[in-house]
Amino acid sequence: MNVLVIVESCFGNTAAIADAVAAGLRSAGAVATVSDAASAPPLASHDLVVIGAPTHNLGLPTPASRRQAVAHGGSAPATGVAEWLGGVGRLAIRVAAFDTAVPGAFSGSAAKKIATRARRLGATVSGRESFTVSGSPAVLTDGELDRARAWGASLAG
Ligand SMILES: Cc1cc2nc3c(=O)[nH]c(=O)nc-3n(C[C@H](O)[C@H](O)[C@H](O)COP(=O)(O)O)c2cc1C
């Protein structure tokens, strides 16, 4: 199974989750490559695309929210997952989506937006997960990397 993990991250947490998801996929026998959304290779013989982003303003990062992240000490790519989805064309492939977010009923979810947009592009969405961060600057909640590895392994099935 050949998997491309596409990620955007401003403070490193979503990128760390992407690496853990890829490690989980590999532990279950998949070949998994992690790429920033801004420099993702074209889809080729991939069986699954796993797409992840930090939750910004209840959804996907935008140029404005990335600037806010930079103002708070983060770094931000010029383009991210929203732009990747905007440019990929038809996505006739299996997709799984994840995000990082602050826990809470009103946090919103970038993964939910990714799943909706991927479905509209023709994808079969077979997994969606949120991983939690807390504090400022945000850090992953204890246990989230383990949970990401387990989720990644489950996607290889
Ligand atoms: C501009 C901005 C808006 C945010 N909006 C939300 C939000 O609506 N809901 C939420 O749970 N977290 C929100 N956050 C917190 C981010 O989800 C958190 O910084 C992110 O998960 C960290 O991931 P990263 O280290 O990969 O950038 C926001 C952060 C920024 C910078």
Side-chain angles (χ1 to χ4, degrees):
M1 180 182 209
N2 189 8
V3 186
L4 180 60
V5 182
I6 292 177
V7 68
E8 167 173 6
S9 182
C10 295
F11 296 94
N13 297 290
T14 320
I17 293 289
D19 287 339
V21 170
L25 280 157
R26 289 184 201 113
S27 76
V31 174
T33 309
V34 180
S35 176
D36 283 337
S39 54
L43 293 177
S45 55
H46 298 101
D47 305 293
L48 168 69
V49 187
V50 184
I51 308 171
T55 301
H56 281 185
N57 301 325
L58 307 181
L60 278 169
T62 62
S65 75
R66 292 183 196 120
R67 281 194 293 276
Q68 281 178 270
V70 169
H72 286 88
S75 60
T79 64
V81 163
E83 291 83 357
W84 185 84
L85 286 165
V88 73
R90 191 158 162 77
L91 199 53
I93 193 169
R94 192 179 146 215
V95 164
F98 69 94
D99 64 38
T100 52
V102 176
F106 305 105
S107 299
S109 167
K112 192 173 177 185
K113 303 287 183 194
I114 292 167
T116 302
R117 288 187 58 176
R119 269 193 208 99
R120 280 196 203 124
L121 294 170
T124 304
V125 178
S126 62
R128 173 157 74 86
E129 194 59 66
S130 284
F131 298 92
T132 60
V133 297
S134 60
S136 181
V139 291
L140 287 167
T141 309
D142 282 352
E144 290 300 74
L145 288 175
D146 287 340
R147 209 161 65 77
R149 272 188 288 271
W151 185 67
S154 77
L155 294 174

